[in-house]
Amino acid sequence: MIRLALLAGYLVLCATWVPLVLSRATWVSRLPRAAMALWAGLVVAVSAGAVAFGVLTARHVRWHAADFVWCCTRLLDALAGHLVVILCVAGALSAAVVVLRGVIVGTGTLWRLRRGWRDHVDALDLLARPLGDLPAVILEHTAPAAYCVPTKGGRVVLTSGALRRLPPGTVTAVIAHEQAHLRGRHHLMAALAASLARAFPHVPLFRLARPAMARLIELAADDHASRRCRSETVATALSVLVAMPLGVGALQAGAEGASERIRRLRRAPASGGRQAVAAMGGFLSTVASSALIATWAWVGGC
């Protein structure tokens, strides 16, 4: 029982206090990929841990039924057989509800996004034109904007208003930013964060992960573009683009915290290798700690 209580305490800590601290941390802007991995690790750890807790609760009640009955009154003793069964079923159902709720909301969200992406690509095929030899298309629109649509193969879209206003040499930086979204599968991270926030709105981890991921994927894409071009070039391009949402579910270059990103780009971002190592370490350590605690609770008989 003590081990089960410790597992519950660990899950509460990871679902409440840790995301509050992480959402206020200042280092995440220096290592956005590491912060994204840590958020993802927390989500995986808490989701899997909640399922494990439900299963372990059912197992504990079943294995320790005799102790439970001994501690009950005579009235409960008469009903103990039924009560144990009810508690076992409740533990298993709590695990199933977590999984089903997340799967249903997540599947629905992704289906709606994919349908919107397909419809938007169909419109682009009719309205947009290729941008010379560059891997992007031009959409006639007065607003200066750039975004990507994560369908098969991916589409990078620049408006004609953006091309007219972007200084020479900055278009490549904008395309590199959008390609970073496509290669990093940032749309899946954003969709997962949005789905969990809708499925479990009262859990601080899932509620805070959504805006945090939206910010961090933009910072990570800025870093990728600044390694392809100069950081000052990326900052100049970003200052031109206006945060106007174009397209369904699209990831847009100027959509999240442009002023903060411009200031950050004028400082030297962390190297890609350093971020990759920190990201892998943060994700693995978070998930491994949850797995170790759940295994410890299981092997120790709760």
Side-chain angles (χ1 to χ4, degrees):
M1 190 65 182
I2 294 176
R3 298 190 181 207
L4 192 61
L6 289 175
L7 175 60
Y10 172 81
L11 292 176
V12 170
L13 193 68
C14 288
T16 56
W17 183 77
V18 174
L20 287 173
V21 172
L22 187 57
S23 65
R24 298 171 184 172
T26 57
W27 63 266
V28 298
S29 62
R30 297 190 300 274
L31 296 170
R33 289 172 63 189
M36 288 165 60
L38 192 54
W39 277 107
L42 284 172
V43 168
V44 171
V46 170
S47 301
V51 174
F53 180 79
V55 174
L56 287 171
T57 300
R59 174 177 179 264
H60 174 77
V61 172
R62 182 64 180 170
W63 282 21
H64 297 273
D67 295 336
F68 180 78
V69 172
W70 183 81
C71 294
C72 293
T73 62
R74 291 183 179 181
L75 177 62
L76 290 178
D77 185 55
L79 301 174
H82 299 292
L83 190 59
V84 169
V85 172
I86 291 172
L87 290 174
C88 289
V89 172
L93 285 178
S94 66
V97 166
V98 172
V99 175
L100 289 176
R101 174 70 175 167
V103 169
I104 291 172
V105 175
T107 302
T109 299
L110 191 58
W111 183 81
R112 286 191 297 271
L113 286 174
R114 286 188 180 278
R115 184 178 60 182
W117 295 334
R118 287 196 300 268
D119 292 344
H120 194 68
V121 166
D122 291 340
L124 289 175
D125 289 340
L126 294 174
L127 302 175
R129 66 181 190 275
L131 182 57
D133 296 331
L134 296 175
V137 295
I138 305 172
L139 181 66
E140 290 296 330
H141 201 286
T142 56
Y147 61 95
C148 62
V149 185
T151 54
K152 185 177 181 180
R155 299 291 181 91
V156 176
V157 184
L158 280 78
T159 64
S160 56
L163 285 179
R164 284 193 295 269
R165 300 188 193 184
L166 284 170
T170 58
V171 173
T172 304
V174 173
I175 295 175
H177 175 101
E178 299 305 329
Q179 287 180 328
H181 285 318
L182 296 174
R183 291 174 182 171
R185 302 291 191 271
H186 291 168
H187 59 287
L188 295 179
M189 298 181 188
L192 175 62
S195 299
L196 290 173
R198 273 194 287 270
F200 308 103
H202 301 298
V203 179
L205 171 62
F206 301 141
R207 187 178 67 249
L208 295 172
R210 183 177 186 175
M213 277 295 189
R215 172 176 173 250
L216 291 170
I217 61 178
E218 294 300 335
L219 299 183
D222 287 343
D223 288 350
H224 176 84
S226 66
R227 287 191 290 271
R228 297 295 183 88
C229 311
R230 293 190 309 113
S231 296
E232 187 60 36
T233 302
V234 182
T236 301
L238 183 58
S239 65
V240 174
L241 298 176
V242 179
M244 292 181 61
L246 296 176
V248 181
L251 294 171
Q252 186 184 347
E256 283 292 328
S259 59
E260 176 202 2
R261 291 164 56 194
I262 291 171
R263 290 194 302 270
R264 178 178 175 274
L265 283 166
R266 286 172 178 159
R267 303 190 298 267
S271 66
R274 178 185 171 190
Q275 291 214 45
V277 171
M280 184 62 69
F283 180 81
L284 291 179
S285 61
T286 306
V287 175
S289 62
S290 178
L292 287 173
I293 291 176
T295 303
W296 175 66
W298 179 276
V299 172
C302 300

